[in-house]
C-alpha cells in the first residue's frame, strides 16, 4: 500500500492580532523554517470549513528575512473568510499553503531608475515587504510610494513607513523614498485628495513625488482594488507607458488586491 501524499499546507499559530479599524486588521503567524517567499508575493491562508477548507491569497507584509509572517486584511461584509478573521485571536491555528506565489516582483524589471508603487487599501502589503529589502534600495535611485485610502483613519501604515528611516538595514538609504498619502473622501493637509488615475493624468502625483515620469526612468507597480488597478493602468497607457512582459519589457506591473 502506498503512503498517503504529504499535505500541501502546514498548521501555524496566530502570534498576535491588531485591529486598526472595524474593517482593517493585521496579524502575524508562525513561520515554518522551510517557508520561502520573495518580497511582493502572497501566501494562501486557510481554515477548515464543513468537510473541506476555505482558502484565500494574502500578500506578505514581512521582510523575506523575518522569523514570522505578517498580513494586512480588509474585512468584507458577509465574506466567509472575513468572518473567520473577525473572530481571530492570538493562539488560534491557521493553515498556510507551503508554496508562496505571485509575480509583483521589482526584480522582473531589467532596467529603470525610479520604482513607483501605487496602491489602495490592503494593496500596500507587498510594498511594505519590498521596502524592507536592502537590495531594492540599492538597485533604484528613487523609491516612490502612494497609498490611497478613503479616510485618514485608514492610513494605518504612515508612521511605519516613516520609521523606515531608523531601519537597521535600509535606514541609510531612506532619503531615496518619496511617500505620498492619498485620501479620496476627505481632504487633509499633507495628503493628495483625488483618485490615483486622476493624479497621474493631471501631473499632481509626479509633482508630489518630485520625479518626472518617463519611459526610460520610471517603473510602475500597481496593487489594490480592481477598479483602481484597471483605471490607473489605462491612465499610464495614455501617458505612453506599456505593460511589462517577460519577452517584451515595459514599465508597468499590476496585481489586484482585496
Amino acid at each position: 500500500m502506498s503512503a498517503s501524499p504529504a499535505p500541501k499546507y502546514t498548521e501555524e499559530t496566530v502570534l498576535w492580532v491588531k485591529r486598526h479599524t472595524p474593517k482593517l486588521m493585521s496579524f502575524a503567524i508562525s513561520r515554518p523554517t522551510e517557508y520561502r517567499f520573495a518580497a511582493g508575493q502572497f501566501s494562501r491562508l486557510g481554515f477548515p470549513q464543513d468537510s473541506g477548507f476555505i482558502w484565500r491569497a494574502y500578500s506578505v507584509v514581512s521582510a523575506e528575512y523575518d522569523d514570522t509572517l505578517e498580513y494586512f486584511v480588509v474585512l468584507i461584509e458577509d465574506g466567509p473568510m472575513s468572518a473567520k478573521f473577525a473572530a481571530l485571536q492570538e493562539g488560534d491555528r491557521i493553515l498556510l499553503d507551503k508554496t508562496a506565489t505571485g509575480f509583483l516582483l521589482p526584480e522582473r524589471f531589467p532596467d529603470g531608475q525610479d520604482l513607483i508603487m501605487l496602491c489602495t487599501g490592503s494593496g500596500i502589503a507587498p510594498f511594505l515587504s519590498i521596502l524592507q529589502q536592502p537590495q531594492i534600495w540599492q538597485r533604484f535611485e528613487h523609491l516612490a510610494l502612494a497609498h490611497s485610502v478613503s479616510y485618514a483613519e485608514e492610513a494605518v501604515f504612515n508612521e511605519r513607513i516613516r520609521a523606515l528611516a531608523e531601519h537597521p538595514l535600509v535606514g541609510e538609504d531612506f532619503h531615496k523614498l518619496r511617500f505620498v498619502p492619498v485620501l479620496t473622501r476627505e481632504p487633509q493637509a499633507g495628503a493628495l485628495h483625488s483618485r490615483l488615475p486622476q493624479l497621474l493624468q493631471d501631473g499632481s502625483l509626479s509633482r508630489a513625488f518630485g520625479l518626472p515620469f518617463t519611459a526610460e526612468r520610471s517603473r510602475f507597480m500597481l496593487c489594490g482594488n480592481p477598479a483602481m488597478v484597471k483605471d490607473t493602468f489605462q491612465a499610464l497607457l495614455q501617458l505612453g507607458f506599456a505593460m511589462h512582459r517577460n519577452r517584451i519589457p515595459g514599465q508597468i506591473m499590476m496585481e489586484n488586491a482585496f
Side-chain angles (χ1 to χ4, degrees):
M1 180 181 294
S2 60
S4 299
K8 296 182 179 180
Y9 61 86
T10 58
E11 187 176 12
E12 302 303 323
T13 302
V14 176
L15 303 175
W16 54 261
V17 178
K18 181 175 182 180
R19 291 180 166 82
H20 305 283
T21 74
K23 293 185 178 181
L24 303 178
M25 62 179 288
S26 299
F27 61 92
I29 67 174
S30 54
R31 178 178 183 176
T33 304
E34 66 277 10
Y35 189 80
R36 298 289 182 270
F37 71 95
Q41 289 192 310
F42 53 83
S43 307
R44 284 208 325 144
L45 302 178
F47 297 93
Q49 179 167 281
D50 300 327
S51 59
F53 302 94
I54 179 173
W55 295 94
R56 295 290 186 275
Y58 298 92
S59 294
V60 184
V61 173
S62 307
E64 294 175 12
Y65 46 80
D66 283 343
D67 295 330
T68 64
L69 297 171
E70 181 182 348
Y71 302 92
F72 174 53
V73 300
V74 177
L75 301 181
I76 301 171
E77 188 174 358
D78 299 324
M81 196 68 166
S82 292
K84 299 285 189 182
F85 286 141
L88 197 67
Q89 300 290 334
E90 178 182 336
D92 287 350
R93 305 293 281 173
I94 191 169
L95 306 180
L96 171 70
D97 191 303
K98 291 181 178 180
T99 303
T101 189
F103 300 97
L104 195 71
L105 306 172
E107 57 265 32
R108 291 180 57 217
F109 286 126
D111 54 10
Q113 286 79 49
D114 301 332
L115 182 64
I116 300 160
M117 297 163 279
L118 308 179
C119 56
T120 56
S122 62
I124 194 174
F127 300 137
L128 292 172
S129 180
I130 288 168
L131 287 172
Q132 297 175 80
Q133 299 303 129
Q135 62 269 31
I136 300 301
W137 296 80
Q138 296 157 13
R139 155 83 190 279
F140 292 96
E141 292 182 19
H142 300 101
L143 302 177
L145 172 66
H147 184 210
S148 176
V149 296
S150 297
Y151 300 101
E153 69 171 3
E154 299 169 344
V156 299
F157 289 108
N158 287 8
E159 290 308 314
R160 182 162 169 176
I161 292 165
R162 297 184 182 107
L164 289 171
E166 307 301 324
H167 193 287
L169 298 182
V170 305
E172 64 181 2
D173 290 316
F174 184 76
H175 63 279
K176 295 183 176 183
L177 179 65
R178 314 292 175 88
F179 173 51
V180 174
V182 179
L183 302 177
T184 59
R185 297 193 180 180
E186 66 176 356
Q188 185 182 67
L192 296 182
H193 181 49
S194 187
R195 294 184 69 232
L196 288 169
Q198 283 68 48
L199 295 173
L200 281 167
Q201 291 170 331
D202 66 16
S204 297
L205 196 57
S206 176
R207 291 191 294 272
F209 283 145
L211 296 173
F213 295 160
T214 69
E216 179 184 12
R217 295 187 58 91
S218 308
R219 299 295 176 265
F220 296 89
M221 301 180 74
L222 319 179
C223 189
N225 69 71
M228 181 283 285
V229 171
K230 177 184 176 182
D231 293 347
T232 302
F233 177 59
Q234 290 298 320
L236 288 170
L237 291 180
Q238 293 171 10
L239 291 171
F241 300 101
M243 186 72 176
H244 176 76
R245 306 182 189 282
N246 289 339
R247 296 185 180 181
I248 308 176
Q251 300 84 34
I252 310 168
M253 290 184 207
M254 55 188 184
E255 182 172 275
N256 289 333
F258 300 90

